[in-house]
Amino acid sequence: MKFNFNHKILVLFVFFVIVYFSFSKAIKMDHIVIDRMNNKDKILEKLRKSSMSYLARYEVSTYQFENTLKRKISYYDSDLNEKEKINILDQIKAEMIKAKFIDDKRYAEIKTRSLRRQGSSIRFIYSKLKEKGIPNKIIQSS
C-alpha cells in the first residue's frame, strides 16, 4: 500500500495525539502525586503546630498524646491510608519526645505529687497512672 503525503500527515497527527495524551496523563498523575504529597505535608505541619500548642498547655503521658493525635488526625479529610497516618503520628511523637515535650517520668512525678497533696492513696495513684499508660517501672520510681 502506497502512502501519499496526506496519509503520512494523518499517521503523524495520530501518533502525536497519542503521545500528547500519554504525556498529559502522566503529567496529571504527577500533579496528583505532588498534590497528595503536599496534602500530607500540610497535615503533618498542622498536627505539629497543634501538638506544640497542646503540649504547651498540658503535661501529658505518651499514651494520652497518641490518643489525642489519633483523634486530631481523624478530623482531617484526607486520602491517607492507615499506615501513612501511623507514620505521621510516630514521626510527630518522636519529635516531641526528642524535644523533651513529652516525658512519662516527669508526668508521673507531677501527677503523683498532685494526687498526694489531695490526699489520695498509693493504690489510687497507681491506678490513675496506669490508666494514663505509664509503665510499672516508672510508676514505682515516682
Side-chain angles (χ1 to χ4, degrees):
M1 182 169 156
K2 267 184 148 180
F3 286 110
N4 62 19
F5 185 71
N6 288 337
H7 285 101
K8 288 180 183 177
I9 291 176
L10 181 63
V11 168
L12 283 173
F13 175 75
V14 170
F15 174 75
F16 285 122
V17 167
I18 291 171
V19 169
Y20 173 78
F21 282 113
S22 298
F23 281 127
S24 66
K25 188 173 184 178
I27 290 171
K28 286 179 184 176
M29 291 303 289
D30 286 345
H31 285 297
I32 290 170
V33 169
I34 289 170
D35 288 343
R36 185 174 178 196
M37 186 171 62
N38 288 339
N39 189 29
K40 183 179 176 182
D41 291 340
K42 288 176 187 175
I43 290 172
L44 182 66
E45 199 56 38
K46 286 179 183 178
L47 281 174
R48 189 178 287 127
K49 287 180 182 178
S50 176
S51 298
M52 302 249 319
S53 174
Y54 175 68
L55 293 172
R57 288 179 281 148
Y58 304 106
E59 184 69 36
V60 296
S61 68
T62 306
Y63 175 77
Q64 287 175 291
F65 183 71
E66 285 175 358
N67 288 338
T68 302
L69 274 182
K70 285 177 187 174
R71 181 176 39 83
K72 287 185 178 194
I73 202 168
S74 69
Y75 294 153
Y76 296 108
D77 185 29
S78 67
D79 56 348
L80 299 175
N81 61 32
E82 287 301 314
K83 190 174 182 179
E84 289 174 325
K85 288 179 182 181
I86 291 170
N87 288 339
I88 289 174
L89 297 178
D90 289 341
Q91 181 181 350
I92 292 174
K93 183 176 76 169
E95 289 173 6
M96 298 302 146
I97 290 172
K98 185 178 178 183
K100 304 268 190 222
F101 293 140
I102 303 172
D103 185 5
D104 282 346
K105 185 174 181 176
R106 183 180 64 220
Y107 174 79
E109 289 171 356
I110 291 170
K111 194 71 170 170
T112 300
R113 205 174 313 128
S114 171
L115 291 172
R116 287 305 283 165
R117 258 187 266 125
Q118 296 172 11
S120 300
S121 69
I122 293 172
R123 187 175 286 175
F124 180 79
I125 293 170
Y126 178 83
S127 67
K128 277 294 185 186
L129 291 176
K130 202 66 178 156
E131 184 180 290
K132 302 298 182 180
I134 305 296
N136 286 337
K137 185 177 178 181
I138 295 176
I139 292 173
Q140 290 170 357
S141 69
S142 66

